[in-house]
């Protein structure tokens, strides 16, 4: 990878694709699809507010693809630490909602591992001194 910003952006692409594909597979799960059609999934009401909050939560990794490339180093590191920490906590919390489904657990492990790695990578980068040209 050319530089740390590009690498972080690529990690955000990886995790975003995993979030999206897991959601897509969830729509192919007939048990869940039936619940989506009723407006209640695993006891959670899927309404306009829920969808707005879900959209906001998904905008975080999508925005980080761009922000990781354009923010100055210190702000970039802190944005990555904060965004990936939020996404890690949310993903861990979702594991305690409803029943655990094998494909969901598979994607969750990848997503959590990636966002934890982003935290560590960003902390490490933050500690490094700027290279002089």
């Amino acid at each position: 990878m050319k530089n740390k910003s590009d690498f972080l952006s690529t990690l955000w692409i990886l995790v975003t694709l995993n979030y999206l594909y897991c959601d897509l597979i969830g729509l192919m799960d007939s048990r869940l699809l039936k619940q989506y059609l009723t407006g209640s999934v695993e006891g959670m009401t899927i309404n306009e507010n829920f969808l707005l909050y879900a959209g906001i939560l998904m905008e975080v990794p999508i925005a980080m693809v761009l922000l990781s490339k354009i923010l100055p180093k210190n702000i970039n590191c802190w944005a990555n630490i904060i965004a990936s920490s939020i996404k890690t906590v949310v993903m861990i919390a979702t594991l305690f909602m409803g029943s655990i489904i094998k494909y969901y657990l598979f994607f969750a492990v990848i997503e959590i591992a990636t966002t934890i790695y982003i935290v560590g990578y960003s902390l490490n980068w933050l500690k490094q001194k700027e290279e002089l040209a």
Side-chain angles (χ1 to χ4, degrees):
M1 196 56 50
K2 190 167 91 173
N3 62 45
K4 295 183 185 314
S5 297
D6 288 342
F7 184 60
L8 285 167
S9 181
T10 302
L11 289 173
W12 282 110
I13 292 169
L14 170 73
V15 77
T16 300
L17 288 172
N18 275 274
Y19 292 137
L20 295 174
Y21 201 72
C22 184
D23 289 346
L24 178 63
I25 287 178
L27 293 174
M28 292 184 246
D29 183 335
S30 62
R31 187 181 62 82
L32 287 178
L33 182 56
K34 289 174 188 169
Q35 292 180 56
Y36 282 120
L37 294 174
T38 68
S40 179
V41 177
E42 299 283 315
M44 263 188 315
T45 302
I46 308 297
N47 59 25
E48 188 176 343
N49 285 334
F50 175 89
L51 294 172
L52 173 62
Y53 299 140
I56 291 168
L57 198 55
M58 274 309 299
E59 189 58 36
V60 171
I62 293 168
M64 289 308 298
V65 172
L66 174 63
L67 294 176
S68 293
K69 287 183 162 284
I70 65 172
L71 291 174
K73 178 188 172 188
N74 285 348
I75 296 170
N76 195 339
C77 289
W78 283 111
N80 274 281
I81 291 165
I82 292 166
S84 56
S85 295
I86 290 168
K87 292 300 290 184
T88 300
V89 169
V90 168
M91 280 309 302
I92 291 170
T94 65
L95 294 174
F96 297 98
M97 297 177 189
S99 56
I100 294 191
I101 303 166
K102 290 178 187 177
Y103 68 83
Y104 188 85
L105 184 59
F106 170 76
F107 283 106
V109 167
I110 294 169
E111 294 158 5
I112 292 166
T114 304
T115 53
I116 288 172
Y117 183 83
I118 291 170
V119 171
Y121 190 87
S122 299
L123 284 169
N124 191 354
W125 185 25
L126 191 61
K127 293 175 187 175
Q128 290 178 2
K129 294 184 180 184
E130 289 296 321
E131 296 175 11
L132 299 175

